[in-house]
Amino acid sequence: MSTETNVGIPAPAGPPQSGQQQSLGTAGARNLATTTKSAPQMQGISPRWLLRTLPWVQVSGGTYRVNRRLRYSVGRGRVSVVKTGSEVRIVPPSLREVPVLRGFEDDAVLEELAGRFVQREFSAGEVLVAAGAPIDEVFIIAHGKLDRLGIGKYGEQTVIGSLSDGDHLGDEALQRNGAWPYAVKAATAGTLLALSWPAFQELADRSEALQLQVMDYLAGFQQAQNKHGEAAIGLSAGHHGEHELPGAFVDYELKPREYELSVAQTVLKVHSRVADLYNQPMNQTEHQLRLTIEALRERQEDELINNPEFGLLQNAAYDQRIQTHSGPPTPDDMDELLSRRRSTKMFLAHPRAIAAIGRECNRRGLYPDTVEVEGKKVFAWRGVPVFPCNKIPVTRENTSSILALRTGEDNQGVIGLHQTGIPDEYQPSLSVRFMGISEKAIISYLVSAYYSAAILVPDAVGVLESVDVAHRHD
């Protein structure tokens, strides 16, 4: 009986052991296949609605000048305070934000004046001032919120305005008959700094410079002006016969504001070996540049909102800033913000603020509109789109701001400033300039974006401040 041997044929295997690999793994298969790849992704890209919707004006000379009618009255700024422990003190130079002290140059007098303010605490519901009482003090709010109360036509009490950190009141005594035209009640607990008029007068009697400052301020109010503080234009209407018509001319500001184009720049570096050998199927340099430009555009929008020189949030006039009535952004707050200017084109709000608006609408059983912008449905209030903008800050106290904008040169609104046609332009007002190759074979490109923004008249931008965006459980 012969025996045959099967060489190279393994004996039948038994059932596979638990956990034993039975097929080719993905790691091995990947070596024999071309993967399907995405382009490089970036989480920091936002819709950037402000850049997309803002009208952009060509600034060929690099500077844009905003000419306005002459104004006799100046806006009311906010006074800065510093807190050391429980003590609150005024930063003396910031007293120039009070209209009567605008442009006052004597720092020593401001230092002494700041030292004469007395710190005072107040509690929620406390009435600080009664309507009709004599104005004998100036108040600067260090922290907290105060409501100005009036009487309606039918005798009901109404809130005619709110004041918060840095606001001041009482300097009206210089131009009024010396009586409070409204009552002031604390909406929250807080701290204020008070200066008695006798203390101010005693310092003014000793400082000739301060006396002249007050006289110049009051002289401005004796000039004919409209409700916005602009020099009045003499007109006559409704007359009969040979009525003598008033002469008129329009006076302009002697020192109009100028906006220079700002710049955001970076140097993109790509190794020549990467650029030469790893460009298939995707061009490495192209994608490096794409993501760099995205980051620059994000920074550009952030600057348009927050830059201290031209940012919309920082440069909005203080008389165009309002406070929420109760904290969250209620429909009443949105209506008041909308009504402060004509032809509001858009709102800008942090996504959390938009969610807070939705919660308040749900609470009242309201269903806000949506409008179509660039083929997309956008949340709207009274038909005005509310665009999300994550560049608007949210504080540690979960408060934010909502901006209302009127836009366009023809509409005396907000405009973006840029310059097209610059050397090595890659996108409008953005250039990519080759800088050379280093001894380490690294290719460098200078990427620059030029931009700014201008507010043509103060009421083109309104801000709803102290918007509570925290989710509250009833």
Side-chain angles (χ1 to χ4, degrees), residues 16 22 55 76 82 85 102 127 129-130 147 327 376 388 403 416 463 465:
Q22 303 180 51
R76 302 175 66 84
V82 291
R102 185 64 60 90
V127 177
V129 170
D147 288 333
K376 299 179 181 179
L403 284 80
V463 183
E465 296 185 314

Side-chain angles (χ1 to χ4, degrees), residues 52-243:
R52 293 159 60 180
T53 57
L54 201 62
W56 291 91
V57 174
Q58 171 75 356
V59 182
S60 299
T63 301
Y64 186 88
R65 178 180 297 159
V66 178
N67 291 307
R68 293 176 178 170
R69 284 177 59 184
L70 176 65
R71 299 185 70 199
Y72 290 115
S73 60
V74 293
R76 302 175 66 84
R78 286 185 175 168
V79 177
S80 300
V81 298
V82 291
K83 190 173 187 296
T84 306
S86 60
E87 181 185 3
V88 178
R89 294 179 292 104
I90 293 173
V91 179
S94 71
L95 284 173
R96 295 187 177 96
E97 296 298 329
V98 180
V100 67
L101 297 175
R102 185 64 60 90
F104 186 61
E105 298 180 354
D106 194 329
D107 290 334
V109 173
L110 293 178
E111 183 84 29
E112 184 173 352
L113 186 61
R116 296 188 174 211
F117 280 83
V118 178
Q119 183 175 337
R120 188 182 303 171
E121 309 294 326
F122 58 85
S123 57
E126 179 181 350
V127 177
L128 303 178
V129 170
I135 302 178
D136 54 7
E137 289 182 300
V138 176
F139 299 122
I140 293 177
I141 305 168
H143 178 68
K145 179 180 176 183
L146 304 179
D147 288 333
R148 293 185 297 164
L149 306 178
I151 303 298
K153 180 178 179 179
Y154 301 101
E156 76 281 9
Q157 191 175 72
T158 59
V159 177
I160 60 176
S162 298
L163 304 167
S164 63
D165 302 7
D167 285 327
H168 44 86
L169 65 161
D171 56 303
E172 298 97 329
L174 286 173
Q175 45 181 297
R176 298 179 185 272
N177 57 8
W180 289 100
Y182 47 77
V184 179
K185 184 178 181 180
T188 66
T191 304
L192 60 78
L193 296 157
L195 173 69
S196 66
W197 273 112
F200 176 83
Q201 190 61 53
E202 191 274 331
L203 181 59
D205 291 340
R206 291 193 291 105
S207 171
E208 183 178 353
L210 186 55
Q211 291 180 28
L212 294 175
Q213 179 77 15
V214 173
M215 292 172 61
D216 290 343
Y217 173 73
L218 294 177
F221 285 95
Q222 296 174 1
Q223 305 293 330
Q225 55 188 271
N226 62 18
K227 65 179 181 180
H228 304 294
E230 297 173 332
I233 300 175
L235 301 171
S236 180
H239 51 273
H240 299 279
E242 298 178 352
H243 182 79

